[in-house]
């Protein structure tokens, strides 16, 4: 009975999935918040302005993906999970000193505890370039942000 | 010209590594643009608003 109750509670926990609906030009060598303009689902309406602020305390599986491209050559690409305004996990950090290509499919995941009231999660990206301007692709398959409660507090 | 470009014009000796360690630029995509979130460079002073204007 206890297990069934727990599963029922988790089944109703917050979950969302969103993706970038417009291309986002970013400044090189600058931690930039990724904008996710389209929601695929948002069960508790906890995803607002590309920020996830869950209203249920617990442990959340977070998945972030980005599709950088652009003119010129990248020298480093990092994908960051921010919690409460600062870096919580560096999901990817790739130096590409000998490549002229952006890594277009760039993703990672982590577990984040949220207190159900003030804690919030955002997705940031950092790209340094030898030349050119990086752009984040608007595509549900490349640039996405998802989270779901997987364990209660 | 981006904030990064302005800083590099002021301090050409800075390297990409500096922007991963002692200097952090940030943009929260809230319309306020790029800003200096951290400046802990051991020898170079944080640029003033006038220098970055």
């Amino acid at each position: 009975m206890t297990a069934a109750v727990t599963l029922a509670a988790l089944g109703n926990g917050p979950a969302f999935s969103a993706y970038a609906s417009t291309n986002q030009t970013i400044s090189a060598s600058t931690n930039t918040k990724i904008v996710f303009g389209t929601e695929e689902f948002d069960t508790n309406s906890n995803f607002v302005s590309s920020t996830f602020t869950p209203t249920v305390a617990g442990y959340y599986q977070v998945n972030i993906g980005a599709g950088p491209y652009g003119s010129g050559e990248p020298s480093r690409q990092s994908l960051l999970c921010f919690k409460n305004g600062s870096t919580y996990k560096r999901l990817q950090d790739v130096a590409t000193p000998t490549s002229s290509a952006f890594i277009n499919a760039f993703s990672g995941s982590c577990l984040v505890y949220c207190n159900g009231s003030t804690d919030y999660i955002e997705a940031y990206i950092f790209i340094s370039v030898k030349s050119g301007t990086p752009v984040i692709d608007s595509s549900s398959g490349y640039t996405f942000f998802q989270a779901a409660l997987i364990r209660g507090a | 010209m981006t904030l990064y470009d302005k800083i590099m014009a002021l301090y050409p000796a800075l390297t990409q590594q500096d922007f991963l360690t002692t200097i952090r630029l940030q943009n929260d995509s809230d319309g306020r643009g790029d800003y200096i979130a951290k400046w802990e460079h051991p020898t170079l002073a944080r640029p003033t608003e006038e220098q970055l204007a």
Side-chain angles (χ1 to χ4, degrees):
Chain A
M1 179 62 77
T2 301
V5 169
T6 302
L7 284 172
L10 288 176
N12 290 327
F16 83 93
S17 180
Y19 63 89
S21 52
T22 57
N23 292 347
Q24 183 179 0
T25 300
I26 67 171
S27 299
S29 299
T30 301
N31 283 349
T32 302
K33 182 177 177 178
I34 304 173
V35 176
F36 302 92
T38 300
E39 293 182 359
E40 293 170 306
F41 54 85
D42 182 11
T43 62
N44 271 36
S45 299
N46 291 160
F47 187 72
V48 177
S49 300
S50 302
T51 301
F52 181 54
T53 310
T55 50
V56 176
Y59 299 85
Y60 287 82
Q61 168 81 29
V62 176
N63 308 313
I64 300 170
Y69 72 98
S71 60
E73 286 185 62
S75 57
R76 194 177 200 104
Q77 292 183 202
S78 301
L79 190 61
L80 312 167
C81 177
F82 266 43
K83 179 183 178 184
N84 299 335
S86 59
T87 302
Y88 178 67
K89 298 294 180 191
R90 190 172 290 270
L91 306 179
Q92 289 257 14
D93 187 12
V94 180
T96 54
T98 59
S99 171
S100 61
F102 287 89
I103 300 170
N104 301 123
F106 197 52
S107 64
S109 62
C110 61
L111 289 178
V112 184
Y113 174 78
C114 291
N115 62 13
S117 56
T118 58
D119 286 342
Y120 61 96
I121 305 169
E122 302 160 300
Y124 276 70
I125 195 166
F126 173 99
I127 300 177
S128 58
V129 296
K130 297 173 185 171
S131 64
T133 302
V135 178
I136 308 302
D137 183 54
S138 61
S139 164
S140 61
Y142 280 101
T143 305
F144 58 87
F145 187 14
Q146 305 169 315
L149 179 69
I150 62 166
R151 189 186 192 285
Chain B
M1 181 180 276
T2 66
L3 177 61
Y4 169 77
D5 294 331
K6 291 177 182 176
I7 291 172
M8 288 303 291
L10 280 170
Y11 299 127
L14 286 172
T15 66
Q16 295 288 343
Q17 189 64 22
D18 291 314
F19 290 89
L20 290 167
T21 53
T22 58
I23 300 168
R24 188 174 74 241
L25 307 183
Q26 193 158 311
N27 186 318
D28 298 323
S29 297
D30 54 4
R32 294 186 295 175
D34 302 343
Y35 64 94
I36 299 172
K38 181 179 85 170
W39 189 283
E40 296 176 352
H41 195 278
T43 58
L44 300 176
R46 179 182 179 126
T48 64
E49 292 298 323
E50 290 73 21
Q51 288 175 303
L52 297 173

